[in-house]
Amino acid sequence: MNKQFLIVANWKMQLSYNQAVEFCTQHFQELDRSLPDHVSVVLCPSFEALYPIGQLLAKTSLKLGAQTCSNYKMGAYTGEVCAESLAQLGCTHCIIGHSERRSNFGETSNDIAIKTTRLLEQGIRPIICIGETLKEHQQGLTIHALHDQLEPVLQKLAAHPTPAQGIIIAYEPVWAIGTGQSATPSYLNKIFTWLDQLYSTILPMTPCTLLYGGSVNEQTAADIARIDKVQGLLLGGASLDFQKFKNIVSLVSK
Ligand code: PGA
């Protein structure tokens, strides 16, 4: 596979500070050495581990990402972390609108549009997550749900100058996240064709990378990676087991 390919590891809050730093110290130089030029890897630990992991990755080609950021630029917002600080810590990417943030912390499409702008102002590439619930999927409302989540964000971006670093959209069906149930290649083919058309209609000049996430494993990664419009993967569980992670990187690099 010769296309440029991006693999994002979302460690969620699955590792403590010590565990995240140890995991990175033990393994990631080895991964860096085996990475072909056309494959990029972004590691997204939780906030507290960004600084030490950024230091460990500094001499590698691996990139650093955060898992969310504040809507606000700066100010009296207890517990929040602003995009400017993420940039200062060396983050080149940031996941936003993950379904766990939408369902557990009430993030709306408007919040996600604001966070996208905050990140782009700081030169960080937003990884905008969208995905339908099981109920929406079963009722045939997938496209409707994805449109509702994505269109307001893209329209807001269209009102601003084109960001040079571009954006990333990660399609993650909620019913596939952490469930062991992955979407089939033929289903994904339809969704990614639709996604490609939507963003190129609203943001024709903005570079955009499309990722798939949701229970990707060593058995499914290669077939998903071969889908025409899929340009990368967002891995949760599989990124926490180094051997599995490395195998997936190697499978999609071929
Ligand atoms: P999963 O998580 O690979 O464990 O399903 C993906 C995600 O939530 O980003």
Side-chain angles (χ1 to χ4, degrees):
M1 208 183 50
N2 284 326
K3 61 183 169 183
Q4 287 293 321
F5 207 76
L6 177 67
I7 299 178
V8 180
N10 177 12
W11 290 351
K12 311 191 179 186
M13 201 177 69
Q14 303 283 19
L15 301 173
S16 70
Y17 172 84
N18 284 348
Q19 287 170 331
V21 174
E22 198 186 319
F23 188 47
C24 205
T25 310
Q26 278 180 357
H27 297 300
F28 284 91
Q29 277 171 354
E30 178 190 337
L31 181 75
D32 182 44
R33 281 193 294 272
S34 63
L35 216 56
D37 285 348
H38 65 286
V39 180
S40 309
V41 170
V42 181
L43 301 183
C44 302
S46 42
F47 284 136
E48 73 285 359
L50 286 172
Y51 179 73
I53 291 183
Q55 298 290 300
L56 289 167
L57 300 187
K59 292 196 184 75
T60 73
S61 64
L62 308 180
K63 298 182 173 70
L64 184 68
Q67 298 175 13
T68 185
C69 75
S70 177
N71 291 17
Y72 301 99
K73 276 195 178 175
M74 216 168 267
Y77 302 104
T78 304
E80 291 286 275
V81 177
C82 64
E84 186 175 342
S85 296
L86 297 180
Q88 289 168 357
L89 286 163
C91 290
T92 51
H93 293 72
C94 181
I95 298 170
I96 43 173
H98 190 281
S99 72
E100 288 152 14
R101 302 272 336 155
R102 292 178 195 261
S103 63
N104 297 327
F105 303 100
E107 284 186 9
T108 63
S109 295
N110 189 44
D111 293 321
I112 290 147
I114 295 169
K115 288 174 201 284
T116 303
T117 310
R118 294 282 166 263
L119 292 166
L120 291 171
E121 284 164 1
Q122 296 300 325
I124 298 174
R125 278 191 93 184
I127 304 170
I128 303 162
C129 299
I130 54 167
E132 80 284 11
T133 62
L134 181 61
K135 195 167 167 204
E136 288 163 338
H137 182 66
Q138 286 168 338
Q139 291 178 343
L141 296 173
T142 297
I143 295 295
H144 182 80
L146 299 183
H147 188 271
D148 273 5
Q149 291 173 22
L150 191 57
E151 202 256 0
V153 180
L154 298 184
Q155 291 295 1
K156 187 150 187 167
L157 285 179
H160 291 86
T162 305
Q165 73 271 42
I167 61 167
I168 297 169
I169 299 169
Y171 169 56
E172 297 203 296
V174 179
W175 50 267
I177 296 177
T179 59
Q181 267 191 287
S182 197
T184 60
S186 65
Y187 175 80
L188 289 179
N189 211 5
K190 284 187 211 133
I191 302 288
F192 278 81
T193 302
W194 174 83
L195 267 177
D196 185 55
Q197 274 163 7
L198 181 73
Y199 93 75
S200 41
T201 306
I202 303 178
L203 289 176
M205 305 308 288
T206 303
C208 180
T209 303
L210 299 179
L211 312 184
Y212 170 76
S215 292
V216 177
N217 59 33
E218 292 155 289
Q219 283 70 48
T220 56
D223 285 345
I224 297 173
R226 268 193 287 272
I227 296 169
D228 186 29
K229 306 281 184 213
V230 172
Q231 295 156 298
L233 299 170
L234 179 47
L235 306 178
S239 70
L240 293 164
D241 176 321
F242 183 68
Q243 204 47 54
K244 285 187 186 160
F245 187 63
K246 205 175 147 209
N247 288 345
I248 291 174
V249 173
S250 135
L251 282 164
V252 302
S253 300
K254 284 181 186 145

